[in-house]
Amino acid sequence: MTTTTFFLFLMPILAIILLAVNLILSPHNPYQEKDSAFECGFHSFLGQNRTQFSISFFIFALLFLLFDLEIVLVYPYVVSAYTNGIYGLVIMLVFFLVLTLGFAFEIGKNALKIESRQVYNFNYKSWSGYSLIYN
Amino acid sequence: MSTPQFWSTPLRYLRWASHERPAIFYSLIIGSMGPVALVGLPPLRRALGDVDPETIPMSYPIPAGPRTFPKGYDDE
Amino acid sequence: MSNIISIIQGLLVIVPALISVAFVTISERKVMASMQRRVGPNAVGYYGLLQAFADALKLLLKEYVAPTQANIILFFLGPVITLIFALLGYLVIPYAPGTFISDHRLGIFFMLAVSAIATYGILLAGWSANSKYAFLGSLRSTAQLISYELILSSVLLLVILLTGSLNVITIVESQKAVSLLLPLLPLFIVFFIGSIAETNRAPFDLAEAESELVSGFMTEHSASIFVFFFLAEYASIILICILNSILFFGGYLSIIVFSIISLLDLSREDTLFHVLISIISSSPINLAVKTSILVFVFIWVRASFPRIRFDQLMSVCWLVLLPITIAYVILLPCVVSGLLINPVNISLL
């Protein structure tokens, strides 16, 4: 068994030991209020738990997939930049340019914007300061 | 004084963009410096006295002369 | 025999990592207390040094609460996954020349992959708790982690472009002449902001914003599974500080010592002198000092800046940091091949 293999096994063992220590040593007397879902001062409503969520999260996940794939596809170029030469560089630039144009399109379409009800903030354009982050 | 348009007043638009959308404005400038650097840097480098290094050989050099084939045995 | 040696090696890496996690928590409380003119923990042990151990012991002896509406297996599996993959990143860290567990050729990829999988633990934990605070917290946290991971991996791309290798030790050793902080200063700033966000730290700790979501994805977690999240968070802080110092500050190499060496007369035939210099110039103490300074900056940032809103968080990532990183990804390969300073990857020749 090499050290790497042992290290890969050590982490789950550590987690299981900590979990077992807790399960064995700690007291355990549950009742209904303790085991119900957390809510501030009221009984919890089970129906609210896995409801619909904002589409923005899904769009960000989708965009992440695209861009991470893009970055991962450029990794083979950067480790062999000398061997690829100017030709490989130009191909990489064209590939990147296409995706950057798509990104500019998304920015222009406001696809990356999350709706906020707070209007009067330092994002707001008519506010007479500099805007670091814009809507 | 509304938001300036790029096609009618380009310089004013650029000034507005550098103040109001600094991240995208300067990243466009930095990004477009890339191809310029690719074209412009090698002549500049040679003008400053740098010589192109030899390319690293990717295979063994082929011998120029006729090849001599060994005959007989070495230990005879 | 070799099994015993490998067990000792594994423990030699992981036990100091866990102890340093404990001391980072205590140092965070002490530093924040000093910045807010308080005393901080000072009762347990000398100067409050044993506070973290006492807290861990207390949490391990607390009652665990398994909510009735939760998916129990996933509820316990999520924190375990987070802890495992936060600690696995220590596998490829070189602490000194020859002092590492795995000298893998794709070490940087391993670290990226491991830190990406840790996101799944958060997603599982938040979803399986079946509480709306945990659910919203895990959604926010996942969106934040994947967005900022994009920035980290694209900055890493440029570091690899300048060093020409995915091996961590090669990246460290190629900074003997100059640390990559100098050529990549803007990208270091981007990477540092990204690493603060990637570890869910203030001012980007939207996942556990107490004022809106009770404590984010770990609302329902108690006792040892809460300890797992806690350990994982601080272990990943230390890990990402080590990564920062490896990528931009030269890891275990000491720039100061190297610049002193260049002034000295190295032609003397003094073996002891050379051995001494090589020990000082690449010792784990250098890495420790750099990492500690970066951890201090993490705490400093937490004490200084107010929390930002979630839409601001996402627009900082996608509309400010990402365009800048993409611009540098286009610029730097052009400059590198225009100046003909491409690093040569020997395994491709």
Side-chain angles (χ1 to χ4, degrees):
Chain A
M1 190 167 67
T2 61
T3 312
T4 311
T5 328
F6 173 71
F7 199 84
L8 292 176
F9 280 115
L10 182 64
M11 297 304 126
I13 292 171
L14 186 79
I16 289 169
I17 286 175
L18 284 179
L19 208 59
V21 163
N22 184 228
L23 295 190
I24 292 168
L25 293 182
S26 65
H28 187 56
N29 51 342
Y31 48 89
Q32 197 196 342
E33 270 72 31
K34 190 188 272 179
D35 272 0
S36 60
F38 179 85
E39 186 55 72
C40 302
F42 296 101
H43 288 290
S44 56
F45 305 102
L46 267 181
Q48 288 183 349
N49 292 338
R50 288 173 188 160
T51 50
Q52 62 272 48
F53 55 90
S54 172
I55 189 70
S56 302
F57 291 109
F58 182 71
I59 291 175
F60 281 127
L62 212 61
L63 283 181
F64 161 74
L65 205 65
L66 215 74
F67 274 93
D68 212 37
L69 210 60
E70 170 189 359
I71 298 291
V72 166
L73 284 175
V74 177
Y75 268 106
Y77 167 73
V78 295
V79 290
S80 60
Y82 181 85
T83 323
N84 288 335
I86 297 290
Y87 176 71
L89 177 68
V90 169
I91 294 294
M92 193 276 274
L93 284 184
V94 168
F95 172 70
F96 227 88
L97 197 68
V98 171
L99 279 152
T100 311
L101 286 179
F103 183 56
F105 180 70
E106 282 152 13
I107 293 179
K109 279 283 183 186
N110 272 338
L112 299 169
K113 184 180 166 189
I114 293 183
E115 292 298 327
S116 175
R117 287 179 195 165
Q118 288 163 309
V119 182
Y120 293 100
N121 52 46
F122 77 114
N123 278 346
Y124 193 50
K125 258 182 285 179
S126 71
W127 190 70
S128 63
Y130 66 95
S131 81
L132 182 66
I133 313 158
Y134 26 81
N135 288 316
Chain B
M1 286 291 281
S2 61
T3 305
Q5 295 297 312
F6 180 73
W7 300 114
S8 54
T9 50
L11 281 178
R12 223 182 119 237
Y13 177 82
L14 288 181
R15 195 181 61 192
W16 173 85
S18 71
H19 286 123
E20 295 292 322
R21 274 114 175 81
I24 289 177
F25 179 75
Y26 285 109
S27 50
L28 275 178
I29 288 182
I30 291 170
S32 55
M33 266 160 60
V36 174
L38 191 62
V39 177
L41 273 181
L44 189 68
R45 186 167 49 82
R46 290 189 195 104
L48 289 177
D50 189 29
V51 220
D52 285 358
E54 285 182 34
T55 52
I56 297 176
M58 295 289 177
S59 63
Y60 296 106
I62 301 167
R67 296 186 67 173
T68 54
F69 291 97
K71 267 182 286 182
Y73 298 99
D74 284 347
D75 51 351
E76 273 178 358
Chain C
M1 185 60 198
S2 68
N3 279 353
I4 296 171
I5 289 176
S6 66
I7 287 172
I8 291 173
Q9 279 175 339
L11 290 177
L12 270 182
V13 169
I14 207 61
V15 171
L18 291 176
I19 292 176
S20 65
V21 165
F23 281 116
V24 165
T25 60
I26 188 74
S27 71
E28 171 171 30
R29 291 174 68 177
K30 276 292 197 187
V31 169
M32 296 241 321
S34 300
M35 286 177 178
Q36 296 158 354
R37 296 202 172 186
R38 293 184 284 118
V39 182
N42 62 349
V44 188
Y46 296 102
Y47 198 61
L49 275 180
L50 295 177
Q51 181 75 40
F53 298 100
D55 283 347
L57 208 60
K58 182 206 74 175
L59 275 170
L60 282 182
L61 297 178
K62 282 283 178 184
E63 175 182 0
Y64 67 94
V65 177
T68 42
Q69 84 282 4
N71 301 34
I72 293 297
I73 295 176
L74 292 183
F75 185 73
F76 282 94
L77 192 64
V80 171
I81 287 178
T82 315
L83 177 68
I84 290 172
F85 288 101
L87 288 177
L88 270 186
Y90 286 94
L91 193 63
V92 290
I93 301 285
Y95 296 96
T99 313
F100 45 79
I101 287 186
S102 167
D103 180 17
H104 201 270
R105 279 187 303 167
L106 306 176
I108 284 289
F109 264 8
F110 178 81
M111 281 181 87
L112 263 184
V114 156
S115 70
I117 294 174
T119 313
Y120 283 99
I122 289 171
L123 195 61
L124 277 184
W127 183 81
S128 66
N130 208 348
S131 157
K132 61 182 167 197
Y133 300 106
F135 178 65
L136 289 175
S138 78
L139 269 182
R140 282 186 178 192
S141 185
T142 311
Q144 174 184 348
L145 288 186
I146 59 176
S147 304
Y148 279 91
E149 192 192 313
L150 204 59
I151 288 166
L152 295 195
S153 56
S154 47
V155 174
L156 217 51
L157 182 85
L158 294 172
V159 171
I160 291 164
L161 176 80
L162 292 192
T163 56
S165 174
L166 293 166
N167 187 337
V168 187
I169 295 173
T170 315
I171 290 177
V172 173
E173 291 289 338
S174 62
Q175 301 180 42
K176 260 188 176 168
V178 57
S179 65
L180 282 178
L181 182 71
L182 254 61
L184 296 180
L185 181 64
L187 291 167
F188 166 69
I189 297 168
V190 168
F191 192 85
F192 193 72
I193 294 173
S195 50
I196 290 176
E198 183 74 9
T199 49
N200 267 333
R201 293 285 294 177
F204 303 119
D205 56 345
L206 268 296
E208 42 192 294
E210 296 92 358
S211 48
E212 29 194 299
L213 308 167
V214 182
S215 71
F217 54 88
M218 45 177 135
T219 302
E220 301 282 346
H221 292 75
S222 58
S224 69
I225 42 178
F226 174 74
V227 173
F228 289 173
F229 275 131
F230 199 70
L231 279 182
E233 186 183 336
Y234 282 89
S236 62
I237 286 172
I238 298 174
L239 188 69
I240 213 147
C241 286
I242 292 176
L243 189 63
N244 264 297
S245 48
I246 280 177
L247 293 183
F248 294 104
F249 293 94
Y252 52 76
L253 300 175
S254 175
I255 307 296
I256 300 167
V257 171
F258 277 119
S259 41
I260 292 171
I261 288 173
S262 62
L263 299 177
L264 293 177
D265 180 21
L266 275 184
S267 59
R268 42 190 282 201
E269 290 286 327
D270 191 350
T271 322
L272 186 68
F273 172 76
H274 283 287
V275 168
L276 210 64
I277 284 292
S278 66
I279 286 175
I280 295 172
S281 64
S282 52
S283 75
I285 295 173
N286 298 322
L287 182 65
V289 168
K290 289 165 188 170
T291 309
S292 307
I293 292 172
L294 286 172
V295 169
F296 176 76
V297 176
F298 265 60
I299 299 165
W300 192 4
V301 164
R302 177 174 175 186
S304 303
F305 293 108
R307 183 182 291 137
I308 61 175
R309 260 186 4 240
F310 189 72
D311 59 318
Q312 291 174 337
L313 174 83
M314 293 319 256
S315 45
V316 164
C317 175
W318 288 92
L319 301 181
V320 178
L321 297 182
L322 197 64
I324 292 174
T325 343
I326 287 179
Y328 273 97
V329 169
I330 293 175
L331 173 69
L332 268 183
C334 294
V335 170
V336 163
S337 60
L339 292 178
L340 283 181
I341 48 173
N342 281 319
V344 181
N345 200 338
I346 292 180
S347 60
L348 288 175
L349 291 181

